[in-house]
Amino acid sequence: MSEILFMAGDVAVTTAQALMAFAGLVLLLLAVIAVVLARGASRSEAARMAQAIRADELEERLADMLRSQAETAGRMQAMGEALAGRQTDMARAMNDRLDAVTHRVGQSMEQSTRSTMDQLRHLHERLAVIDSAHKNLTELTTQVTTLRDVLANKQARGAFGQARMEAIVQDGMPKGSYAFQHTLSNNKRPDCVVFLPDQRPLCIDAKFPLESVTALRDARGDEERKSAAQRLRQDILKHVTDIAGRYLIPGETQEMALMFVPSESVYAEIHDGFDDVVQKAYRARVVLVSPSLLMLAIQVMQQILKDARMREAADQIRNEVFSMTDDLGRLRERVLKLQQHFGQANEDVRQILISADKIDKRAARIEDLDFDKPEAAVPAQAAADLFPRAPVRKLQAGE
């Protein structure tokens, strides 16, 4: 009943106020009618009758007005209830929409937060990878600097090449088949020797002409390049001459020696640009090898040593096979003797079974005799038939 029906200027008129105003108007009309009736009481009977008729009409009209008022009030109340229901529905719809919007906003914010956190986590991971890569790069730079310092010194560079060669030899050859700094009969000591099946060592010496190669790579003009190439050629030929003169001893060492170049790039540079030097080294019976070629040579030598050991063990294997053949012959003879013993034992068992069958038959004949009947003496022929006399023969083994 407190619903606002309309606005009269700045004043809000509610349903209750409208009903009270209407009731006041009705009461005012009743009061006016009562005054009119009181003033007309002194008139004539006809006038009173007319007034009575008018009063009845007024009462009917008043009843109609009251009925209309009640209907209007009911309608206004229904309208208020309808308006209240619509307001409630509207408020519920607004609340639902606000909840949905709040939920969507919350989900969107949660997804945005999760996405932001994931991106931050990936960013941290990438930063960690970048830090690790930077650290590795720093360590690699330090190692490269250290390696450059090592390779700049001839003695350190020689130790580096020898260490790499020793690692390759130790990984591929069995112990006792190689030696480092082995002294030859001319008191020369190669970096490594490998003892082949004929016990003549194969000499391996590590050389690293880095300065000449570096000068050749850094050469700018044709003159510098030609000078650097000539220097590299002289250094390599000097190393080849030293190896051939020191480590190739007729009758003591192998007829060929290996010059180990511990750098694949340097080895490729020599083979690509200095084929004449390589050919001269071959003619001097010195073979240039890189780390990969040295590994291959070590594998070949390992297979040669293995084949030699197998050939040495061939005679022993043949003797063992002959001994095994003799043992097999003796085993066959003993099996044949055992077979004969088994045959004799089977024959003895058969004779024993025959004797047991005869005893069973004779026991059955004895059981068939009836000693309770008084019969005449058994004739001799019947007794002979009943108890046949076995022929006298020599008992055999097992009977």
Side-chain angles (χ1 to χ4, degrees), residues 69-193:
Q69 183 182 3
E71 291 177 357
T72 303
R75 291 179 181 175
M76 292 181 69
Q77 184 177 2
M79 186 181 295
E81 292 177 355
L83 290 173
R86 289 184 180 179
Q87 185 177 4
T88 304
D89 295 338
M90 185 178 294
R92 187 182 301 108
M94 290 294 293
N95 291 329
D96 293 340
R97 290 184 180 179
L98 287 174
D99 292 339
V101 171
T102 304
H103 182 66
R104 289 179 182 176
V105 171
Q107 286 183 346
S108 178
M109 292 182 66
E110 184 179 357
Q111 291 177 358
S112 300
T113 304
R114 189 182 300 110
S115 178
T116 303
M117 294 299 295
D118 292 338
Q119 292 178 359
L120 288 175
R121 187 176 65 254
H122 292 316
L123 181 60
H124 286 304
E125 291 177 355
R126 291 181 180 178
L127 288 175
V129 172
I130 291 173
D131 291 338
S132 178
H134 183 268
K135 183 178 179 181
N136 293 333
L137 184 60
T138 303
E139 293 178 355
L140 181 60
T141 303
T142 304
Q143 293 176 2
V144 169
T145 304
T146 305
L147 180 60
R148 184 180 61 187
D149 296 337
V150 169
L151 296 179
N153 188 356
K154 290 185 177 180
Q155 294 180 352
R157 185 168 65 247
F160 168 75
Q162 183 175 353
R164 193 170 185 186
M165 178 194 61
E166 290 179 358
I168 295 174
V169 173
Q170 289 176 350
D171 292 339
M173 297 298 293
K175 291 184 178 180
S177 60
Y178 61 89
F180 300 115
Q181 302 298 325
H182 179 72
T183 304
L184 301 176
S185 61
N186 57 0
N187 294 326
K188 301 299 181 180
R189 302 175 66 182
D191 294 335
C192 177
V193 294

Side-chain angles (χ1 to χ4, degrees), residues 215-216 219-231:
L216 180 62
R220 300 299 181 184
D222 293 338
E223 293 295 332
E224 292 183 3
R225 184 172 183 82
K226 184 177 180 181
S227 177
Q230 185 63 28
R231 179 185 173 186

Side-chain angles (χ1 to χ4, degrees), residues 35-95:
V35 172
V36 171
L37 290 175
R39 289 180 180 180
S42 59
R43 294 180 181 181
S44 61
E45 186 67 24
R48 286 196 297 271
M49 292 296 293
Q51 290 178 355
I53 293 171
R54 291 178 181 176
D56 292 336
E57 291 177 355
L58 289 173
E59 287 179 0
E60 290 179 359
R61 290 179 180 178
L62 182 60
D64 292 336
M65 291 178 65
L66 290 175
R67 192 181 303 109
S68 299
Q69 183 182 3
E71 291 177 357
T72 303
R75 291 179 181 175
M76 292 181 69
Q77 184 177 2
M79 186 181 295
E81 292 177 355
L83 290 173
R86 289 184 180 179
Q87 185 177 4
T88 304
D89 295 338
M90 185 178 294
R92 187 182 301 108
M94 290 294 293
N95 291 329

Side-chain angles (χ1 to χ4, degrees), residues 17-18 27 36 97 172 182 203 206 240-241 248 262 267 303 309 320 322 325 329 333 337 353 383:
Q17 290 177 354
L27 291 176
V36 171
R97 290 184 180 179
H182 179 72
C203 299
V240 170
T241 303
L248 293 180
Y267 178 80
Q303 190 64 36
R309 288 195 298 269
E320 293 294 334
F322 289 157
T325 304
E333 293 177 359
K337 290 180 180 180
L353 291 176

